[in-house]
Amino acid sequence: MTALATSAAPAARPGGLLRAVGRTHRAALVLSLLALVAATVALIWLHSLGDEARAGASACSTPPTDGLPSCAAVEAITADATYRDGMSALATALSLLMFPVAAWAGGALIGRELENGTAQLAWTQSVSPARWLAVKLAAPAALLTAGTGGLLLLNDWARGDGDPNLVGDWYYPDVFVSTGPVAVAHALAGLALGALAGLVWRRALPATGVALAASLLLHNVLERYRENLWPAVTRTEAGTLELPRSAFQVAWSDVPRDGVLLTRATFHPASHFWPLQYVETGLLLAVAGTATAAAFLLLARRLP
């Protein structure tokens, strides 16, 4: 107990609580930094393959000449496949970032410290519970915002001209989340939901499970109803209606009218990318803000 009190004492000094949080969660911080470095190196490497990959994709789309397929350049085709698979893997990792964040926040950041009494000990060292929770949330929130934001910029740079044959269409779920501020908002929502779960259950394992379940529900609901977050465009034409590949189709139907068969399509054009991003980001930040406020209220009510 003496050793714990000694290690918690610096939290009473300015910046002491922040240093205590860093020491307590040093392993998570190191792993996060290693993951950030690995993703950065991977994106720089993939960017270096971009031109060669686009050359490979272009070669494969050119009709054969002299009886030989124009995509027989093995190096270009290999770069094409490596680039496509690498960009897809990183997009998936960014889109799922909220799940490990929520699990860590619920299990280690809040739940474990309430379960083993570390938090209560800190509150006896001139650190108010509200300040303890504020620092617990502010430090990882700042790191998540900076790290995820940096990866988004690198990802956009590595995508080059955004050829959908190589990096996927803008409306693919993983691509959509990993190419705009939605990724940052997802991470912050996961942090807030995990912290709230930790305060409700006060035990690491149940809080981790609940945080993961809440994050999964939020992720799936937004993916399912994303098309409804902004008014779609409806186009009706007689005969065959062709939409560009960049159109995110919502509905398609044939409507007979006055003996003529009309085709009606409801879709989001590529110009709706940013409105959809902003609305979804706002919803996620609202969830994060609500969960954070609920965490502070719950903490205040449970104090003696």
Side-chain angles (χ1 to χ4, degrees):
M1 181 64 72
T2 303
L4 285 174
T6 301
S7 64
R13 300 196 300 266
L17 182 57
L18 187 60
R19 289 192 294 272
V21 171
R23 288 196 301 270
T24 303
H25 302 285
R26 185 181 303 153
L29 178 61
V30 170
L31 286 174
S32 300
L33 290 176
L34 289 175
L36 179 62
V37 170
T40 300
V41 171
L43 284 168
I44 293 174
W45 174 61
L46 288 169
H47 177 265
S48 70
L49 293 178
D51 291 339
E52 193 174 351
R54 280 181 280 277
S58 175
C60 284
S61 64
T62 304
T65 57
D66 301 327
L68 294 175
S70 59
C71 61
V74 177
E75 295 83 359
I77 305 308
T78 301
D80 178 359
T82 302
Y83 181 81
R84 182 189 295 110
D85 293 344
M87 294 301 297
S88 176
L90 283 167
T92 300
L94 272 173
S95 68
L96 299 179
L97 182 61
M98 76 181 307
F99 297 112
V101 169
W104 171 77
L109 183 68
I110 303 296
R112 187 177 65 188
E113 296 207 13
L114 290 172
E115 183 177 6
N116 62 21
T118 306
Q120 292 84 342
L121 179 62
W123 301 342
T124 67
Q125 307 296 321
S126 301
V127 177
S128 69
R131 182 184 169 205
W132 171 83
L133 181 57
V135 174
K136 282 283 185 180
L137 292 176
L143 293 174
L144 283 169
T145 301
T148 309
L151 284 180
L152 287 174
L153 293 175
L154 279 172
N155 185 43
D156 184 62
W157 173 64
R159 285 171 58 86
D161 60 3
D163 182 354
N165 291 318
L166 294 173
V167 296
D169 290 286
W170 68 270
Y171 48 82
Y172 287 1
D174 290 353
V175 174
F176 181 85
V177 174
S178 65
T179 52
V182 167
V184 178
H186 264 288
L188 294 178
L191 175 67
L193 290 172
L196 179 59
L199 283 166
V200 171
W201 272 267
R202 292 176 167 251
R203 295 175 58 194
L205 191 57
T208 299
V210 172
L212 281 173
S215 299
L216 179 62
L217 177 63
L218 177 62
H219 188 279
N220 287 343
V221 167
L222 286 173
E223 185 175 312
R224 169 65 181 82
Y225 295 102
R226 181 169 294 143
E227 63 194 37
N228 300 320
L229 297 181
W230 192 258
V233 173
T234 298
R235 181 183 298 172
T236 303
E237 291 183 7
T240 303
L241 173 61
E242 293 186 3
L243 295 177
R245 175 174 174 171
S246 60
F248 175 17
Q249 295 183 24
V250 176
W252 190 282
S253 62
D254 292 327
V255 182
R257 181 179 297 173
D258 299 331
V260 178
L261 186 64
L262 302 178
T263 302
R264 177 177 297 165
T266 303
F267 63 97
H268 289 286
S271 59
H272 284 191
F273 172 79
W274 285 112
L276 288 167
Q277 280 277 334
Y278 293 143
V279 173
E280 186 165 335
T281 298
L283 290 174
L284 285 164
L285 292 179
V287 170
T290 301
T292 301
F296 277 98
L297 288 173
L298 181 62
L299 182 61
R301 284 192 174 189
R302 287 194 170 182
L303 290 177

